[in-house]
Amino acid sequence: MKKQKLDTANFIPYSKFKAEVFRRRPGVKKAYDALEFDFKIINALIEARVKHKLTQRGLAKKIGVAQSALARFESGRVDPRISFIKKVTKGLGLQLTLK
C-alpha cells in the first residue's frame, strides 16, 4: 500500500477557519458563545488534573467513576450533573466556587 503525501498548502489555521465559519454562519457563533462557560470549567479542570500529574484513568479511579465517563466530560460530549463536577473538583483537591 502506497502512502499518500499530504499537501499542507490546503490547510489553514484553526483560528482562521473559526473566524470564517462565524462570519458565514452566525448561528454557529451563537452556539459557540453559549458553550463558553462550560468549556472554561472543563479546561480549568483539565489543567488542574495535568498540574496534579494525574491521568484520566488515575483521577477516575480516585473519584470512583469510569475513565470513559471522565473522558466524555472532558471532551464536552456530555452535560454533567453538579454532583459529577463536585466529585472531580474534590478529587483534585479543589473547591467549586461561583462568583
Side-chain angles (χ1 to χ4, degrees):
M1 183 177 240
K2 187 178 177 182
K3 284 189 176 180
Q4 290 184 346
K5 188 176 179 182
L6 290 177
D7 181 8
T8 58
N10 293 329
F11 289 103
I12 61 170
Y14 174 70
S15 57
K16 286 186 179 182
F17 169 78
K18 187 170 76 169
E20 184 64 19
V21 170
F22 286 175
R23 186 181 67 75
R24 290 182 183 203
R25 301 186 63 195
V28 172
K29 171 117 173 72
K30 185 177 178 182
Y32 182 89
D33 289 344
L35 293 171
E36 180 181 16
F37 179 75
D38 301 46
F39 285 117
K40 280 185 178 182
I41 291 172
I42 292 167
N43 285 334
L45 292 174
I46 292 170
E47 287 175 10
R49 177 177 60 74
V50 170
K51 181 180 175 186
H52 284 82
K53 297 180 179 161
L54 285 168
T55 61
Q56 282 183 344
R57 179 169 286 148
L59 178 58
K61 185 175 181 180
K62 185 175 181 178
I63 64 175
V65 301
Q67 180 272 330
S68 58
L70 187 58
R72 284 190 300 274
F73 166 69
E74 288 188 356
S75 70
R77 291 181 296 189
V78 296
D79 198 6
R81 294 180 174 269
I82 294 294
S83 60
F84 185 84
I85 295 171
K86 285 169 53 177
K87 273 185 183 182
V88 173
T89 55
K90 186 176 180 181
L92 293 169
L94 303 172
Q95 184 176 359
L96 185 60
T97 306
L98 298 176
K99 292 184 181 183

